[in-house]
Amino acid sequence: MCRLLATVSARATTIEEVLGDTGLREFSRLSEFHDDGWGAARLDERGDIETRTSITKADADPDFERYTTSDRATEHLLHLRWASAGMGTVARNSHPFRREGYAFMHNGNIAAPRLLDELLDEDSRTGVRGGTDSERFFAYIMQCCRNSSSVEQGIIAAVKDIREAFPGRSLNSFLMHDGSIYVINCHAGAHLDLSAYPERVGHTPWQHDETHYLDLLVSRKEGSIAVASTGMRHGEWEKLPEESIFKLNKEDEAPSIRTIWEG
């Protein structure tokens, strides 16, 4: 389980400028719980996706502070990792994953990786580097995009297939591609389960419970939009409709969010 953040802005900004100093500190503090590293993706000045990952806890890593306060972009992804049991805290398992003009990060536990491997064709399996179900979900989305008439239709097809094959799991994820960020907010039947982590019981941050943990929220400001997992009290956040997929991008340089699918 992890924390996710995406921002889209009319001009190149830092994550701190979008969230504000207090909001960024709140997000950073969530790494006390989600302490298996962090990762980021941004659209650089050439329109290419740049990623970085670390297995160091975000609020203890100077590179995290430097990135969130200094690196500017019109599109950002940010991920705080809490590794699922059996999926090691090693660089190749860190989000976001990047491949062929896409970057992807996920919050959830879908199934044993070998079960998702069965859905992948040879090309998709060849590109997988780590041992997580999340990377395989990403590979399957890309496979569906290659076999569909559009990226949007490919994402929708992948979500439908994975949800049918593995019901009751969180597919919450963000995908960056071609100047847009796609937000998958699908987690019907999933919940926060701490049974395998008894040491964490009683030490959970705000909203880390079965009712709120998997919610995704949106904040709209002049010139920017942010979508985030729960856990931050500061700012004006609205809950996004569940079982839906959204597209974040800039239309006439004004950030927008729209629904592309409702399940």
Side-chain angles (χ1 to χ4, degrees), residues 240-258:
L240 279 176
E242 297 173 11
E243 300 310 297
S244 300
I245 302 174
F246 302 87
K247 185 177 182 179
L248 284 165
N249 65 357
K250 300 189 303 300
E251 297 176 355
D252 298 324
E253 298 305 312
S256 66
I257 180 169
R258 63 179 177 88

Side-chain angles (χ1 to χ4, degrees), residues 41-50 72-75 176:
R42 72 182 185 107
L43 200 65
D44 69 16
E45 296 81 0
R46 302 181 303 276
D48 298 326
I49 295 175
E50 172 189 291
R72 287 180 161 78
T74 53
E75 289 86 16
M176 178 184 286

